Amino acid sequence: MSSSKGQEGAAVPTKQKGSWSSFLKSIASFNGDLSSMTAPAFILSTTSLVEFSSYWTEHPSVFVAPAAEKDPAKRCMLVLKWFLSTLKQQYASRSEKLGTEKKPLNPFLGELFLGKWEDEAGETRLVSEQVSHHPPVTAYSIWNDKHGVRLQGYNAQKASFKTTINVKQVGHAMYYIDQYDESYLITLPPLHIEGLVVGSPYVELNSATYIQSSSGYTCKIDYSGRGWVSGKSNSFTASVYPQDKKKEPIYTAEGQWTGKWSIKDAKTKQVVEAFDPDVTKPTTLQIAPIEEQDHFESRKAWRKVADAINKGDMDTTSGEKSIIENRQRAMRKTEKEQGKEWDRKFFKRVESDPIFEKLAAKIGESANKDATNGVWIFDQEKAAAAKSPFHPDVDPPIYVDTGDLSRVSTKSTATAS
């Protein structure tokens, strides 16, 4: 089923071995998107997928560093460095923290996750919103006004089974540097899940991704993993080269995205940048205390479900999930009867993004709008009207105009775990 070695269910708690074996059989025979399946209790996460947007910027100083570089080739290299620094947080931090990769909660339409990082880079802000439920799509905007750096994007995931769980990520990210009016298109890696047989799943990245800059430079990142005979898990090689001159790299990089890696000058072979996640620790994300969050904010919305999962109480987990799902169904029914569509709070659907289209054409990418229910961009006017405490220009608290909702604190000191 997977290339991981070991006895089936070796890492599965004794009481869960039966349900794990049944789950594996269900996966193998399931026809459709695996994200809709119910997983055994011990592999359920208490975190919603809408929170995953925060993994892009857990090293704010690395995120903003390209803005201080005058040379466009070096700026592109520093964008590559930042991107590579996000991979461990995005794809391995959960399995390291929890001992295994967990199945995240499926966000409901309109679910929000808001936060900010404060460190030597200044204040970096995050807005993440579930903009579509069928198909499930999360959109996000991250920005640092002090350095004039922004990241916006959206993504969906399609999971299928063929010898193991394979996940195709649909969507993209766009990184902007205001000072140079420079844009970077970032594609998302496909991945698969290793360790299924022994019951200790972890993520391995596949194939290749690109970073295409508007200044005329391209980065290609190739991913590889541990094979049956040789190789190291989570390995990659990368290069930065002038557009259409792949065989003339300016910089190269290699290593393990879960560990140490370096970037070298392609001619001199001298190391110009290096990264060690054990040295460069993540900055803690600050969020509003749960009691002061809006009812559509993720931590508050899923609190009872998360508490039940932590207790191993699957009856309560199922019941509390059903309450949320039934409320959503009722809202969709009312909207249909009234001929309305759910009003996204921070993002809007557009026919196309000209900057994306221009950069995507250079690397053979397309928007694949059908898979993401459209093209999604951050809407500054909506953000201002929503009065988010994490919007840079507005101080009043946020209100969501559906149901009995509470205000979000404008003076949050809570931290994300």
Side-chain angles (χ1 to χ4, degrees):
M1 181 171 295
S2 132
S3 61
S4 294
K5 303 174 184 179
Q7 183 179 357
E8 181 173 324
V12 178
T14 302
K15 293 182 180 180
Q16 297 283 356
K17 287 186 182 292
S19 62
W20 181 248
S21 296
S22 298
F23 180 59
L24 293 181
K25 292 176 182 177
S26 298
I27 291 175
S29 60
F30 190 80
N31 183 21
D33 185 358
L34 294 177
S35 63
S36 62
M37 290 189 68
T38 300
F42 77 93
I43 204 164
L44 287 178
S45 172
T46 58
T47 302
S48 169
L49 201 59
V50 79
E51 290 197 28
F52 284 25
S53 304
S54 66
Y55 294 132
W56 281 111
T57 328
E58 295 203 342
H59 300 104
S61 293
V62 184
F63 174 64
V64 303
E69 176 55 58
K70 295 181 179 180
D71 180 76
K74 290 182 180 179
R75 281 200 301 275
C76 190
M77 178 269 291
L78 290 172
V79 172
L80 171 65
K81 178 185 178 182
W82 157 73
F83 172 76
L84 293 173
S85 77
T86 73
L87 296 179
K88 180 178 180 179
Q89 295 303 115
Q90 293 202 62
Y91 302 111
S93 61
R94 296 174 301 280
S95 59
E96 289 190 357
K97 180 180 179 181
L98 303 173
T100 181
E101 186 67 29
K102 303 285 187 178
K103 183 181 184 297
L105 297 168
N106 293 327
F108 55 83
L109 181 60
E111 185 175 334
L112 300 169
F113 188 64
L114 313 176
K116 60 184 177 180
W117 298 267
E118 291 181 328
D119 61 6
E120 62 271 16
E123 189 174 70
T124 306
R125 301 168 183 268
L126 162 71
V127 170
S128 183
E129 178 177 5
Q130 193 70 7
V131 293
S132 175
H133 188 62
H134 296 295
V137 180
T138 305
Y140 49 87
S141 180
I142 302 170
W143 65 96
N144 182 299
D145 284 338
K146 177 181 177 181
H147 295 274
V149 173
R150 295 172 287 126
L151 181 76
Q152 296 180 21
Y154 60 93
N155 64 278
Q157 296 183 331
K158 298 291 289 185
S160 60
F161 182 86
K162 187 177 181 182
T163 70
T164 188
I165 295 177
N166 297 283
V167 180
K168 179 182 180 182
Q169 298 197 91
V170 187
H172 60 269
M174 297 289 293
Y175 178 98
Y176 304 95
I177 303 176
D178 292 340
Q179 180 180 353
Y180 299 102
D181 192 22
E182 201 167 64
S183 306
Y184 295 79
L185 166 62
I186 301 164
T187 65
L188 308 177
L191 55 94
H192 67 274
I193 308 298
E194 292 282 357
L196 279 177
V197 171
V198 297
S200 183
Y202 67 92
V203 169
E204 188 67 88
L205 303 182
N206 307 332
S207 191
T209 58
Y210 290 87
I211 301 174
Q212 179 61 51
S213 77
S214 59
S215 58
Y217 295 93
T218 305
C219 305
K220 183 185 180 186
I221 306 99
D222 290 287
Y223 306 96
S224 61
R226 182 174 57 230
W228 284 100
V229 179
S230 63
K232 295 182 178 180
S233 61
N234 312 137
S235 297
F236 76 91
T237 58
S239 61
V240 180
Y241 52 91
Q243 185 182 320
D244 299 326
K245 294 182 179 180
K246 185 178 178 180
K247 295 183 179 181
E248 301 177 21
I250 303 171
Y251 299 100
T252 60
E254 64 179 345
Q256 289 176 278
W257 50 264
T258 48
K260 298 178 182 179
W261 46 265
S262 61
I263 301 176
K264 298 179 180 180
D265 183 298
K267 291 183 178 180
T268 67
K269 309 303 180 183
Q270 294 295 310
V271 173
V272 294
E273 292 288 340
F275 187 83
D276 182 346
D278 292 330
V279 174
T280 307
K281 299 294 185 180
T283 297
T284 301
L285 176 68
Q286 299 180 37
I287 62 172
I290 287 181
E291 63 273 14
E292 298 178 4
Q293 288 183 19
D294 188 281
H295 282 253
F296 271 64
E297 287 191 76
S298 185
R299 296 284 179 91
K300 187 162 191 169
W302 292 106
R303 176 171 54 177
K304 293 181 180 179
V305 173
D307 288 345
I309 291 174
N310 285 330
K311 294 175 182 176
D313 183 350
M314 292 314 296
D315 288 338
T316 300
T317 297
S318 179
E320 292 297 336
K321 285 181 67 177
S322 293
I323 291 173
I324 294 174
E325 291 162 356
N326 289 336
R327 284 175 178 169
Q328 286 289 305
R329 291 189 189 102
M331 290 169 66
R332 301 293 85 77
K333 181 180 178 182
T334 300
E335 290 163 4
K336 185 175 181 180
E337 291 172 349
Q338 296 177 349
K340 296 180 179 180
E341 183 180 13
W342 174 256
D343 183 24
R344 283 75 178 176
K345 297 301 172 184
F346 296 100
F347 297 85
K348 64 180 178 182
R349 185 194 291 114
V350 295
E351 283 299 314
S352 64
D353 179 348
I355 298 176
F356 164 80
E357 297 292 346
K358 183 177 180 179
L359 296 178
K362 297 178 180 180
I363 52 176
E365 287 290 316
S366 61
N368 200 1
K369 293 188 290 185
D370 292 342
T372 56
N373 196 16
V375 174
W376 299 93
I377 63 172
F378 187 64
D379 189 322
Q380 293 283 358
E381 292 183 1
K382 278 190 172 185
K387 302 188 190 308
S388 164
F390 297 105
H391 187 276
D393 301 318
V394 183
D395 289 327
I398 179 175
Y399 292 90
V400 179
D401 55 2
T402 305
D404 180 18
L405 303 173
S406 60
R407 66 172 54 187
V408 176
S409 170
T410 60
K411 298 179 180 179
S412 167
T413 58
T415 57
S417 59

